[in-house]
Amino acid sequence: MKNIALADEHSSFERPHFDVEAVRRQFPVLARRVHGRPLAYLDNGASAQRPEAVIDAVDDYERHHHANVHRGVHTLSQEATALYEGARDRLVQFINARSRHEVIFVRGTTEAINLVAQSYARPILKAGDEILITYLEHHANIVPWQLVCEQTGATLVVAPMDSRGEVHLDAVESLMSSRTRLFACAHVSNALGTVLPVRRLMAAARARGIVSLIDGAQAVPHMSVDMQDLDCDFYAFSGHKMFGPTGIGALYGREALLERMPPWQGGGDMILAVSFAGTTYNTLPYKFEAGTPNISGAIGLGAAVEFLAGLNRVAAHAHESALLDHATRALSGIPKLRIVGTAGDKASLISFVVAGVHPHDLGTILDGDGIAIRTGHHCAMPVMEFFDLAATARASFAFYNTFEEVDRLAAAIERARKIFT
Ligand code: PLP
C-alpha cells in the first residue's frame, strides 16, 4: 500500500487540480453511512448519484411548475414547456448536435436503441442484409438487433474482441460489406471498461455508406462527446448514468435520417393533425415523442448536463484515470485476483474475479463494509461466456470517488479472500 501511495503522489504532480471534496459535498448521498461505515459508492456504471443541482431542479419543478407540456395556454403549462424544451437545448449544446431537431427524449439507452432498430432498421431490412455489432455489447445493443433480424430475415454479425477486451478496427472493417446496413457499437464497454476507437470505426462505416449507432451509456459520464466530431448517425445515452434522473435519456439522430424514419409509437404530441382518413405527423423531434413525456426527468437531465458542463471535465477525467490506475495496481497485488478486461484504453471501471470467492459473496461482504460494487453478468452475457465466467465483480468509479475508497476496496477484497481461501 505504501508504494501505491508514493506512486499516486507522483502522478498527482502532473494531474490538473481537481477538488474532490468540494465535488463530493454537492452529492448528499455520499455523506451517508451504510452498516455503520461511510458509504463508498463504486457502482456508478450501473447508476450514478445525483448532485444537489439535479435534486433541486426536479424539486422546483414539482413544487412550482408542474403541468403537461406543449398543449396548454395557461402559465404553468408554458413554464413546464419552457423548462422541458430548455433541457433539450442544453443537451443539444452539450453533445454538439447540429440542431434541436436531432435530440429526442427517450426513457434511456435501451429505448433509444429499440427506436432505431424498429423505426430506422425494420422498414429497410430484408433477408440477406446484415447488422454488424461487436462482441462486447450490453444486451441493450444486442437484443433489439436480434429482434429486428427475426422480424426481417436479416442476419446479426458479431465482430470479435481479443483476450484483453479490445475491438480492433481491421477486424470490424473486414466484416463490413455491401450487405451491412447498420453498424452499432458501444463507446465504452460496461463489463470491461474498454474504450472503443469509435472515431475510426465511424469513419470506416461512413466510407462504406453504412449507417452507424453508438451506445454511449458508459461514455457520456466520463468524457465529452461531440456528435459532429464523432460523425455517427445515432448516439444513445441514459440520464441516470450521467448524474441525472432515471427513466430519461436521449437519442441523437442525424436529422436527414430522422426525417425519413416513420414514427416509432403513435399517440398524442407526435401529430399535427388526425382524422380517420389519415394522420399528419409532427415535425422533429416531436415525431418521436408520443404521449406525455417524462417532464421532470428531462428537467433533471438538463440540470445534470449543466452540472457536468460546469465541471472541469479534463481534470475530472484525469482524476478518474488516476483512480483506475490506483485500483489496477492495488487489485493486481491481491493473490488469486484476476482483472477481466485489460484494454490499453479503459474508462474508470474494473471488473475482476477472485479464485475461490463467488462474486456475489464478495459483493455482500463488501456491502458490510459500506462499499457498493456490482456483481453478476452486467447484462453482457456474451462477454462472460468469452472469458468463461458466470459473473465478475465490478467497481466503477466516478469523479467523486477517492483514493481512500479504492484502498478500502482493496483491503476489503483481501479480507474476503482470506475468509474464503
Ligand atoms: N448500454 C450500456 C453500455 C450500458 O452500460 C447500459 C446500462 O447498464 C445500457 C446500455 C442500458 O442502459 P439503460 O438501462 O439506462 O437503458
Side-chain angles (χ1 to χ4, degrees), residues 45-46 108-111 113 138 140 186 188-190 215 217-218 238 240-241:
T109 307
T110 303
E111 187 170 75
I113 298 174
H138 185 282
V188 171
S189 156
N190 69 307
D215 168 353
Q218 295 292 339
S238 299
H240 68 104
K241 295 186 197 285

Side-chain angles (χ1 to χ4, degrees), residues 18 23 26-27 51 53-54 86-87 89-96 220-225 242-244 300-316 399:
F18 186 70
V23 169
Q26 298 181 58
F27 288 80
V54 169
D89 289 333
R90 281 183 189 155
L91 269 183
V92 169
Q93 221 183 356
F94 184 68
I95 62 169
N96 196 26
V220 179
H222 299 292
M223 59 189 80
S224 301
V225 297
M242 53 187 287
F243 316 99
L301 179 54
V305 159
E306 195 166 68
F307 173 84
L308 283 172
L311 271 188
N312 178 343
R313 292 205 83 188
V314 173
F399 45 70

Side-chain angles (χ1 to χ4, degrees), residues 247-413:
I248 188 75
L251 171 68
Y252 158 82
R254 199 184 288 278
E255 187 166 355
L257 287 179
L258 292 174
E259 282 292 0
R260 290 209 299 270
M261 288 157 57
W264 182 41
Q265 295 176 329
D269 239 24
M270 52 72 70
I271 51 87
L272 287 178
V274 177
S275 80
F276 290 118
T279 289
T280 312
Y281 305 132
N282 207 339
T283 51
L284 291 173
Y286 312 109
K287 182 170 88 173
F288 292 106
E289 293 181 6
T292 301
N294 181 353
I295 306 166
S296 68
I299 292 165
L301 179 54
V305 159
E306 195 166 68
F307 173 84
L308 283 172
L311 271 188
N312 178 343
R313 292 205 83 188
V314 173
H317 186 263
H319 174 68
E320 288 182 359
S321 298
L323 287 174
L324 177 68
D325 289 349
H326 187 83
T328 305
R329 276 193 300 272
L331 269 57
S332 299
I334 297 174
K336 300 190 174 172
L337 185 147
R338 174 159 72 100
I339 293 173
V340 182
T342 51
D345 193 2
K346 276 179 71 172
S348 53
L349 178 164
I350 186 162
S351 251
F352 58 94
V353 287
V354 183
V357 189
H358 193 283
H360 291 324
D361 292 333
L362 190 60
T364 307
I365 290 178
L366 265 57
D367 180 58
D369 270 339
I371 302 168
I373 62 161
R374 184 137 297 245
T375 60
H377 54 59
H378 315 294
C379 293
M381 287 174 113
V383 172
M384 297 297 117
E385 207 178 288
F386 179 92
F387 288 102
D388 201 17
L389 296 166
T392 71
R394 182 188 74 182
S396 48
F397 310 108
F399 45 70
Y400 47 56
N401 289 124
T402 66
F403 294 98
E404 193 233 328
E405 288 176 327
V406 175
D407 291 341
R408 279 178 58 200
L409 169 74
I413 297 170

Side-chain angles (χ1 to χ4, degrees), residues 80-102:
T81 303
L83 288 167
Y84 178 77
E85 293 301 335
R88 191 192 315 274
D89 289 333
R90 281 183 189 155
L91 269 183
V92 169
Q93 221 183 356
F94 184 68
I95 62 169
N96 196 26
R98 284 173 201 81
S99 116
R100 67 194 320 281
H101 295 168
E102 297 184 322

Side-chain angles (χ1 to χ4, degrees), residues 106-117 213 235-237 250-251:
V106 289
R107 273 198 298 129
T109 307
T110 303
E111 187 170 75
I113 298 174
N114 277 279
L115 191 163
V116 175
L213 176 143
Y235 195 97
F237 54 101
L251 171 68

